[in-house]
Amino acid sequence: MPRRATAKGTATRRRPVRKPKRQPRLAEPARRLRAGTAVVLVLFSIIAGRLVMLQLVDARGYALKGLHDRLVTQPLFAQRGAIYDRNHQVLAQAVEAKYVFADPSQINAKAVASTADALRALLGVPTSELVPKLSRKTRADGSKDEFEYLARGVPISTANAVMALNLPGIGVGHDERNEVPGHDLAANLVGFASNNGATGDSLTGRVGLEEGYNDLLSGTDGSHTFEVGQGDLSAPIPGGYDETKAAHPGSSLELTIDRDLQYEFQQVLTKQMQGYHADFGSAVAIDIHTGEVLAQASYPSYDANKPGEYTSDQMIDANTQISLDPGSIHKAITLGAALQSGAIQPDTTVTLPGRSINKGGTNYTDTTPLDRGTKITLPGILAYSSNVGAIEVADKMTPQTLYNYQLKFGLGKSTKEGIPGESAGLVQPPSNWSGSSYGSIPIGDGVSTTPLQMAAVYATIANNGVYIQPHLIKATISPDGTSHPAAAPQTRRVLSPQVAAVLRHDLEAVVTAKGATGHRAAIPQYRVAGKTGTGLLVRNGSYAPGDVASFIGMAPADAPRYVIAVFAHSPGGEGGDVSAPAFQQMMSFTLQHYGVAPTGTAVPTFTLTQ
């Protein structure tokens, strides 16, 4: 301890004086309150400003974004129009069905395989096709893939079975599918319609009248857009966004075809073609007074309810889409042109130079042997189908005259009957003729036609020389049921009534005269006039092996009502052997079906040679 200083001068230490401790400054509540208040006010200002932005500026954008995420649009397919026969019997129609779809965004990645496996058997779609559609993905525009078609045109029972599985992300919607009640009945004529399973298109005509009149039959599709929440893909939110654009149904077609007649023609044609191992056949019936096509059959045919099981060749309409050299049935044009132009008279006879004639280095021979110097009549030329006689007749008129009448009869130009893809055929002007053309063209070789064009030629002869455009469409029917008759067919006079009557008379010799080629076309109690033919089939720009046998005839011959033309391509077939018997059965049925009684007049007798 330090000592204190004494009086004698000895210093002593002092205890240091400690400064008193500084008192801590007390808090100032008022100041802190003011600062806190300021901070809170700033925060509230920021929040309020943001709220103002959300409510007044960005509200629409956010609302639309949220709404967009909840909207679902489903197509409303327009009811496709039907196709009826002349008696309003259904040939093809659209029936109610369902489509099955997926929302991949609602399907767990681990459930894709099991979902595909569960749907595969019901939909008939391979798992390899289902898995990519069920898997989550982003579209090109950056949005989520929320809709994929899995199957179209599904029967309602199948759709119900799909929904019973209760699979997340799987739904169904209203659809339609094409149905042809008669399966192959008029299938080559009517065609079929189908939808694309991968897209949202409605039923679309693929071939035949379904294709040619697709715009009229289709109508206009609509849509249903609505707001959904989580869960049921097809259930709208009550009171949510909901907009419907109505679908407008298509119109229907009423054809000139008679379903019962069509059925009979197809049955007869198939039986005859199979009996002769033919690979192509056609038959067509025309009402000569109206130009209406009453039946139009093709062989082979197909089931329009299962088009995927057939080739495109089986779906063509043989009467309009196949080109052929008509052969001897063309001789009616040659004789008609010569008669109408005055080059020959009804009682003209032709002196044959022999059993053959040479033109441009090519010999044209008759199958019926007639000696040199034989005088053959016009009925004889037709009954014996004399090539030499027809060529001699053609030599009595100019090539331009024959060409002009080919055009007047409708050769070289589409009939515009109504079938898409109809062939126009081809006839050559005299400037394109070679030396052999003077022999081939008069007898129907080197002339490209369709069966329908040749049927129209004989319908013109039957109709007193007036050509009436053959046609299939009788009327269109609006969705409200109003019928609108089709435009009147084109008509023109080709032959005088007198010349047409001469030809009908002479063509009757083909069926009745001794030694004629068409005896198998005769119908008991009825008078029949017609012509056999043996031509060539044009396939891929060249002639196919074998012959096209044909018979075209009219009945009753003295008061014609109908013309029927039958063609068949078979290896080595002759004109009357294949198609004449088919004609006989078809015409017999047609006359009975429409109640046409025999006229009761006597069959004329003919002098074929002198």
Side-chain angles (χ1 to χ4, degrees):
M1 172 182 294
R3 295 180 180 180
R4 188 178 296 177
T6 63
K8 293 180 178 181
T10 303
T12 63
R13 294 184 176 179
R14 293 183 180 181
R15 181 175 293 178
V17 179
R18 295 182 177 176
K19 294 181 179 180
K21 292 183 178 180
R22 189 172 183 177
Q23 295 295 324
R25 182 174 294 180
L26 297 177
E28 300 183 25
R31 184 176 180 181
R32 290 190 176 185
L33 183 59
R34 288 194 298 271
T37 301
V39 171
V40 171
L41 289 173
V42 170
L43 291 175
F44 272 110
S45 297
I46 293 173
I47 293 172
R50 185 57 179 158
L51 288 174
V52 170
M53 291 291 293
L54 290 173
Q55 292 292 324
L56 301 180
V57 181
D58 295 337
R60 181 175 177 81
Y62 279 98
L64 289 176
K65 185 178 185 301
L67 180 62
H68 178 271
D69 293 339
R70 297 189 302 275
L71 289 182
V72 171
T73 298
Q74 294 182 348
L76 299 177
F77 296 112
Q79 178 75 24
R80 187 176 180 84
I83 298 179
Y84 302 102
D85 82 336
R86 65 186 300 110
N87 299 312
H88 212 70
Q89 299 296 313
V90 175
L91 296 176
Q93 64 182 347
V95 297
E96 184 179 0
K98 298 287 185 179
Y99 63 81
V100 180
F101 70 95
D103 180 351
S105 69
Q106 300 292 321
I107 303 174
N108 190 294
K110 295 181 179 180
V112 169
S114 60
T115 301
D117 188 59
L119 295 173
R120 173 181 54 81
L122 281 173
L123 302 182
V125 180
T127 301
S128 59
E129 293 183 19
L130 290 172
V131 168
K133 295 181 178 181
L134 299 172
S135 301
R136 296 184 180 184
K137 49 190 169 296
T138 302
R139 297 187 183 277
D141 61 1
S143 63
K144 291 187 299 182
D145 181 12
E146 297 177 330
F147 189 92
E148 289 283 353
Y149 283 107
L150 302 182
R152 299 288 308 276
V154 173
I156 294 175
S157 58
T158 301
N160 292 338
V162 169
M163 294 309 295
L165 296 175
N166 198 28
L167 297 170
I170 304 300
V172 301
H174 177 73
D175 202 359
E176 61 181 5
R177 60 186 174 87
N178 191 61
E179 181 180 79
V180 179
H183 295 270
D184 67 342
L185 183 65
N188 300 70
L189 189 67
V190 172
F192 67 92
S194 65
N195 46 41
N196 189 327
T199 65
D201 63 345
S202 56
L203 285 173
T204 302
R206 306 299 177 184
V207 295
L209 294 172
E210 291 276 16
E211 178 188 10
Y213 289 85
N214 185 66
D215 290 344
L216 181 141
L217 293 165
S218 292
T220 304
D221 291 341
S223 63
H224 181 205
T225 301
F226 53 91
E227 190 176 356
V228 299
Q230 298 297 319
D232 192 341
L233 296 175
S234 60
I237 295 176
Y241 182 90
D242 195 303
E243 181 183 20
T244 298
K245 295 181 180 179
H248 299 284
S251 295
S252 297
L253 288 177
E254 181 182 348
L255 306 186
T256 59
I257 294 295
D258 184 321
R259 186 180 66 171
D260 294 339
L261 205 65
Q262 180 74 24
Y263 176 83
E264 181 69 16
F265 273 44
Q266 289 188 210
Q267 294 299 305
V268 172
L269 186 64
T270 298
K271 182 178 180 180
Q272 289 292 330
M273 298 307 104
Q274 290 178 345
Y276 286 90
H277 307 289
D279 59 3
F280 138 71
S282 70
V284 59
I286 298 176
D287 183 326
I288 66 163
H289 298 306
T290 65
E292 293 179 338
V293 175
L294 303 174
Q296 187 161 311
S298 297
Y299 177 87
S301 189
Y302 70 103
D303 185 344
N305 292 320
K306 303 175 182 178
E309 299 179 7
Y310 299 86
T311 66
S312 57
D313 287 343
Q314 292 172 295
M315 298 180 185
I316 65 174
D317 174 59
N319 287 281
T320 61
Q321 295 173 335
I322 286 183
S323 296
L324 47 83
D325 282 20
S328 293
I329 53 175
H330 183 277
K331 289 170 184 172
I333 297 177
T334 301
L335 267 62
L339 284 165
Q340 189 65 43
S341 65
I344 60 173
Q345 300 301 316
D347 59 353
T348 293
T349 60
V350 174
T351 303
L352 298 178
R355 299 181 183 181
S356 66
I357 189 171
N358 187 284
K359 293 289 183 179
T362 300
N363 283 324
Y364 297 92
T365 305
D366 282 344
T367 56
T368 299
L370 295 174
D371 294 332
R372 178 184 178 88
T374 298
K375 292 184 177 181
I376 191 169
T377 64
L378 301 187
I381 291 174
L382 295 171
Y384 293 144
S385 198
S386 172
N387 292 330
V388 177
I391 294 169
E392 287 283 359
V393 168
D395 283 345
K396 297 180 182 297
M397 58 182 164
T398 67
Q400 187 65 41
T401 298
L402 178 55
Y403 176 69
N404 289 342
Y405 277 91
Q406 287 177 321
L407 298 181
K408 288 181 180 180
F409 272 113
L411 273 57
K413 185 178 181 180
S414 166
T415 67
K416 297 183 180 179
E417 176 202 35
I419 299 292
E422 180 180 357
S423 172
L426 181 65
V427 290
Q428 296 288 353
S431 59
N432 292 344
W433 286 22
S434 64
S436 62
S437 297
Y438 292 84
S440 62
I441 289 178
I443 62 174
D445 293 339
V447 179
S448 179
T449 67
T450 66
L452 180 62
Q453 286 175 331
M454 292 307 302
V457 168
Y458 281 74
T460 301
I461 297 169
N463 191 38
N464 285 324
V466 176
Y467 174 93
I468 302 180
Q469 177 190 17
H471 55 283
L472 282 168
I473 309 303
K474 190 174 183 68
T476 59
I477 304 172
S478 300
D480 63 3
T482 304
S483 180
H484 306 278
Q490 297 179 357
T491 64
R492 60 179 174 271
R493 177 161 293 283
V494 180
L495 304 173
S496 68
Q498 295 77 16
V499 168
V502 169
L503 278 177
R504 289 196 301 272
H505 172 272
D506 293 351
L507 286 167
E508 200 168 351
V510 175
V511 181
T512 62
K514 183 179 180 179
T517 59
H519 287 174
R520 298 179 70 182
I523 301 174
Q525 300 182 357
Y526 288 90
R527 291 174 59 178
V528 176
K531 184 71 185 76
T532 58
T534 304
L536 297 171
L537 177 64
V538 180
R539 182 174 287 163
N540 299 323
S542 59
Y543 291 121
D547 297 320
V548 177
S550 60
F551 187 90
I552 307 180
M554 63 195 72
D558 54 335
R561 290 286 302 277
Y562 309 105
V563 160
I564 294 176
V566 183
F567 290 75
H569 177 251
S570 59
E574 294 183 358
D577 292 341
V578 177
S579 42
F583 165 88
Q584 193 272 347
Q585 295 178 56
M586 293 174 183
M587 183 61 85
S588 295
F589 181 88
T590 302
L591 294 171
Q592 294 173 16
H593 180 65
Y594 291 116
V596 179
T599 60
T601 58
V603 176
T605 57
F606 296 95
T607 300
L608 305 184
T609 60
Q610 296 177 359

